[in-house]
């Protein structure tokens, strides 16, 4: 594409951003808090209309019992586009609750500009991102037409665990069929590098519970009576060795060896230890010598919470009948949560803790795209064009999202990027994106679609 | 003492019990709940009057700052008594809160007779016991006079930790001076054996706390960030080995070797494992092969409570910044709580847990009377006279009470007995004593004073 064509796209993006400013504000004004079951029908109607105004065909799927509706929209390639290539966007229309309200400096559900930033609940996660993608669509339409077929799938339960995604992707695999998937969330990291992220860790959330008596005992009876809190403590300690190794037979067996490109990408990442310590107030040693590797490929076992007996002030001489730990494990390819839960229960029995029960809460499989996939490479080269040298290829996030069910249904690479900055505070008060990043993201999205669809060169 | 003298004492006891029935009811009707700061002045006035009606000299000590008043009463030996011997009774005038109210079958603060039992809050612990002792005094006065000098010390904070006892015993050591001390609480065990108990375990209550960050982290950062709950769990586990051995250097060093009479008394105790399991719903193995020995002479370390991170329902992927365990150790002669706290902190540092802090909450020294002391022996022989074969000498309770400060101030043996039965439920709803036990306890108390004071034979 000639310089004038790039200029033409840039102009179309600028015009779309100006035209779409009010739509962004309107979308952010709807309080779509899935955790509080708020605003779902209004939001679905709003999003449906926004797609229809772009000429999309829209379906609202209400066929998964108990689920908030899914919104599915399709737009065909334009006359000069490549009708044989299809890209699927995944986004969600629900947002986190705005609480704690006292910590907001502006109205949470009113788009406000502060110091070059858009501030509102959802402007980063994930309403702003959908609106940016729609602005990219409009810009492309005005700059010569869509370069490929587009599909959008939106869920309304991302902030409450995406529990209906696997059912939906199985049921609608044919509808969703696409060559590539663009995921939600991304942007620039603390070093201002634009990240292209290609996967997620999986998760297995569970509880360990132990009951030693029908009632709490007076602690003087510790002379003969067992103690649920001690049983739990010792059982937990038996699962974790020096250097935080998880001492569960078979736990690491299914971890796929990292490829050369994955190792290279991990080596190329940054980890700013000083800034991380400052952000979280960490004073002790880290649990790893190689945080970059651990963030990408370490299986973790985290105690999320401990509960037993008397937790108040002062002294209560009680011997607790019951103790509970809540835990999660973060998993990497090709670990599977159900299998790990069985391994943990078996290890507890081998360690002498058959009275400590694993209560499986939820699991999501890990997923990582092939980093040598052409679409991953196109995402990178396009990012270099738009963001210059400050681009990082991230094999996967340390966190979890429902990518694996899409992979299982579509067998397509998944890439995530967005308009965030390191201070976006996705789930926090004063959630924000920088306006310049937002505009850059719209341009990047449009340009990536061109390169994916019709392979235009500079 | 001839049979007719015993009959005379029995008659005097019966008359005193009849005469004192209304006083018992009145005393139990006052809601003296120290934890709720209720009823203290009325109770002090009532007890003072009760003593004065028996001819006692009464002092109300208000000289310990922050303490509920102590009541100190003295009664001299009668004309035929032994004025060179003095016995001190320890009791308390406060009671536990009546809650949960819904579980009472009668009014908590109304003395009610049910199936041969007195039922009311405090009838066992400890108002009924004081009234029984006053009835014994009255019976002795009517049967020829007091056989020795008597002193009574009552506190109003036993149910909230007896925290002012050490100051009081130091300040008033001269006032309290006595040859022997009779402690509160006792009676018949589950096998209907009357217990003479000669000591208490000590206690050291403390917290372990650890903080790993200034804020809770997202659990995906477990890849590099340490976890307060894991630090606590591993630190706790490092303090306790197989067979529940406390792995703290020097922890057992100060334990005094048991004497022959102590070993014999422990061997003669009963431990009804089946009944204990039934009472508490214990299904797993006990922590000791020898519960009798452990109840008498095992040092224990009990986790009273665990707190960290998210403790609610469902999943929260949090990495906790803070974790806390509450613990108590029960101590035996001659362990000292402050020293053990220092040993635990030192052991944690040696184990690699210098970030886990010992927060000392309270301590009480253990105490055990010399089982060969003549007063212990007199208590036993008198018990055989009154209760027949069903008598057990208990070296000490597994629980704790403020006996050591009395020992340190008075250097006198301490013996505990009372009118309870195994179902008395001292701190529970429907607290009770059996009326026949109550009468027997009054007779036993009077008879013991005779034997202690003037050494009367059968």
């Amino acid at each position: 594409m000639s310089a004038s064509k790039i200029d033409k796209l840039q102009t179309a993006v600028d015009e779309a951003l100006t035209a779409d400013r009010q739509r962004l504000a309107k979308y952010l004004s709807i309080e779509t808090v899935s955790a509080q079951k708020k605003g779902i029908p209004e939001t679905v109607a709003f999003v449906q209309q926004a797609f229809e105004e772009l000429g999309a065909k829209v379906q609202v799927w209400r066929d998964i019992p108990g689920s908030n509706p899914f919104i599915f929209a399709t737009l065909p390639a334009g006359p000069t586009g490549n009708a044989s290539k299809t890209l699927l966007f995944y986004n969600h229309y629900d947002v986190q609750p705005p609480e704690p309200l006292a910590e907001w400096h502006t109205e949470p559900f009113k788009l406000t500009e502060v110091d070059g930033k858009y501030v509102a609940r959802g402007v980063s996660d994930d309403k702003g991102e959908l609106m940016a993608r729609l602005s990219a669509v409009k810009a492309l339409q005005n700059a010569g037409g869509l370069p490929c077929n587009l599909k959008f799938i939106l869920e309304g339960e991302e902030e409450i665990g995406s529990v209906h995604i696997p059912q939906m992707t199985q049921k609608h695999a044919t509808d969703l069929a696409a060559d590539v998937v663009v995921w939600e969330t991304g942007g620039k990291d603390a070093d201002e590098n634009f990240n292209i992220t290609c996967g997620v860790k999986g998760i297995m959330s569970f509880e360990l519970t132990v009951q030693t008596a029908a009632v709490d005992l007076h602690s003087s009876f510790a002379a003969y009576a067992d103690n649920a809190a001690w049983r739990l403590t010792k059982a937990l300690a038996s699962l974790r060795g020096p250097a935080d190794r998880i001492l569960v037979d078979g736990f690491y067996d299914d971890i796929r060896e990292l490829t050369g490109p994955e190792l290279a990408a991990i080596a190329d990442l940054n980890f700013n230890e000083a800034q991380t310590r400052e952000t979280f107030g960490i004073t002790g040693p880290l649990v790893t010598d190689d945080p970059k590797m651990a963030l990408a490929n370490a299986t973790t076992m985290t105690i999320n919470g401990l509960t037993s007996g008397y937790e108040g002030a002062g002294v209560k001489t009680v011997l607790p009948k019951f103790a509970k730990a809540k835990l999660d494990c973060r998993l990497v390819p090709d670990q599977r949560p159900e299998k790990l839960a069985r391994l943990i229960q078996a290890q507890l029995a081998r360690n002498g803790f058959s009275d400590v029960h694993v209560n499986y809460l939820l699991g999501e499989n890990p997923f990582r795209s092939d980093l040598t996939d052409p679409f991953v490479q196109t995402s990178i080269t396009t990012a270099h064009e738009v963001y210059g040298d400050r681009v990082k290829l991230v094999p996967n996030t340390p966190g979890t999202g429902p990518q694996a069910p899409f992979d299982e249904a579509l067998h397509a690479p998944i890439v995530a990027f967005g308009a965030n900055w390191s201070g976006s505070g996705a789930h926090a008060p004063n959630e924000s994106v920088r306006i310049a990043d937002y505009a850059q993201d719209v341009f990047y999205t449009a340009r990536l679609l061109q390169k994916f669809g019709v392979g235009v060169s500079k």
Side-chain angles (χ1 to χ4, degrees), chain A:
Chain A
M1 191 155 74
S2 66
S4 71
K5 283 191 176 168
I6 293 181
D7 292 344
K8 186 177 168 190
L9 181 61
Q10 185 65 61
T11 302
V13 164
D14 293 344
E15 288 172 358
L17 283 167
T18 302
D20 292 343
R21 172 69 168 72
Q22 282 312 308
R23 186 181 62 193
L24 174 64
K26 180 77 199 327
Y27 189 32
L28 293 166
S29 74
I30 311 174
E31 304 188 17
T32 323
V33 182
S34 50
Q36 300 165 353
K37 301 183 191 300
K38 273 189 181 168
I40 305 299
E42 307 90 286
T43 308
V44 170
F46 178 89
V47 172
Q48 180 168 9
Q49 186 183 337
F51 276 113
E52 287 171 351
E53 286 172 1
L54 288 170
K57 286 172 59 181
V58 183
Q59 297 175 29
V60 178
W61 292 339
R62 302 174 197 277
D63 54 349
I64 309 296
S67 174
N68 285 338
F70 290 91
I71 303 170
F72 179 66
T74 56
L75 286 150
T80 62
N82 186 342
S84 71
K85 297 186 86 171
T86 302
L87 182 147
L88 172 69
F89 284 105
Y90 162 84
N91 288 93
H92 60 92
Y93 61 78
D94 61 328
V95 300
Q96 281 278 315
E99 286 77 11
L101 293 172
E103 295 184 20
W104 283 83
H105 304 135
T106 62
E107 295 287 321
F109 292 101
K110 182 177 178 199
L111 177 61
T112 310
E113 291 188 24
V114 180
D115 298 334
K117 295 191 287 286
Y118 285 142
V119 180
R121 169 57 80 231
V123 73
S124 149
D125 180 21
D126 180 45
K127 286 179 167 179
E129 192 163 71
L130 178 68
M131 291 298 107
R133 290 171 179 182
L134 295 194
S135 292
V137 168
K138 183 185 285 185
L140 288 166
Q141 288 174 331
N142 292 339
L146 288 181
C148 62
N149 304 315
L150 293 182
K151 295 181 178 179
F152 285 83
I153 180 71
L154 279 96
E155 69 160 317
E157 300 182 330
E158 198 276 341
E159 302 295 1
I160 52 174
S162 298
V163 292
H164 295 101
I165 286 281
Q167 276 175 271
M168 184 277 290
T169 53
Q170 279 177 32
K171 190 160 189 175
H172 292 285
T174 307
D175 296 313
L176 297 170
D179 301 296
V180 300
V181 179
V182 172
W183 204 254
E184 63 137 353
T185 289
K188 294 174 183 167
D189 60 25
D191 298 310
E192 297 291 342
N193 289 305
F194 182 74
N195 290 352
I196 303 289
T197 305
C198 298
V200 290
K201 284 189 180 174
I203 194 168
M204 197 264 288
S205 287
F206 64 110
E207 295 173 340
L208 295 184
T209 61
V210 58
Q211 179 134 16
T212 47
V215 293
D216 288 343
L217 277 72
H218 192 270
S219 70
S220 62
F221 299 141
Y224 62 78
D226 212 341
N227 178 315
W230 269 123
R231 295 294 296 163
L232 179 69
T233 298
K234 292 178 170 185
L236 283 165
S238 81
L239 295 178
R240 197 167 164 94
D244 295 313
R245 178 90 184 164
I246 299 169
L247 301 178
V248 174
D249 284 359
F251 207 79
Y252 297 103
D253 285 359
D254 296 332
I255 297 179
R256 192 199 300 167
E257 200 174 345
L258 290 168
T259 63
E262 287 168 344
L263 288 168
I266 292 167
D268 188 47
L269 295 175
N270 292 322
F271 179 78
N272 190 327
E273 181 168 338
Q275 187 175 56
T276 301
R277 289 183 173 284
E278 169 74 18
T279 301
F280 298 125
I282 297 171
T283 51
L286 302 185
V287 300
T288 174
D289 300 338
D290 191 351
K292 295 189 294 185
M293 178 60 74
L295 283 163
N297 207 46
T299 295
T300 61
M301 184 186 282
T302 300
I303 300 175
N304 306 131
L306 292 172
T307 303
S308 187
Y310 179 66
E311 307 187 40
V315 168
K316 184 173 181 184
T317 51
V318 65
L319 191 160
K321 65 181 176 181
F322 178 75
K324 181 173 73 171
K326 300 181 82 83
L327 299 100
D328 71 53
C329 291
R330 300 286 175 164
L331 317 180
V332 299
D334 294 315
Q335 293 180 304
R336 289 293 173 264
E338 297 82 358
K339 177 177 173 184
L340 296 185
R342 288 194 301 273
L343 292 178
I344 292 168
Q345 185 73 75
Q347 188 67 46
L348 286 168
R350 271 194 301 277
N351 294 356
F353 298 103
S354 51
D355 55 331
V356 177
H357 299 290
V358 173
N359 176 23
Y360 182 91
L361 296 177
L362 67 80
E364 291 188 58
N365 290 343
F367 172 73
R368 191 186 293 133
S369 300
D370 177 356
L371 299 194
T372 66
D373 182 274
F375 184 63
V376 173
Q377 294 304 312
T378 302
S379 300
I380 295 286
T381 53
T382 307
H384 281 297
E385 189 184 304
V386 175
Y387 295 95
D389 290 341
R390 305 209 73 110
V391 175
K392 294 287 180 186
L393 175 61
V394 181
N396 55 266
T397 64
T400 303
Q403 292 189 352
F406 280 87
D407 170 59
E408 288 152 17
L410 308 186
H411 308 292
I414 303 176
V415 161
F417 57 81
N420 295 333
W421 64 297
S422 63
S424 276
H427 290 192
N430 309 303
E431 181 177 346
S432 69
V433 296
R434 296 182 300 205
I435 298 171
D437 290 339
Y438 187 86
Q440 207 172 14
D441 178 59
V442 173
F443 182 80
Y444 172 76
T445 304
R447 189 83 182 101
L448 176 63
L449 294 183
Q450 286 183 335
K451 290 201 151 198
F452 167 69
V454 295
V456 286
S457 60
K458 281 195 193 182

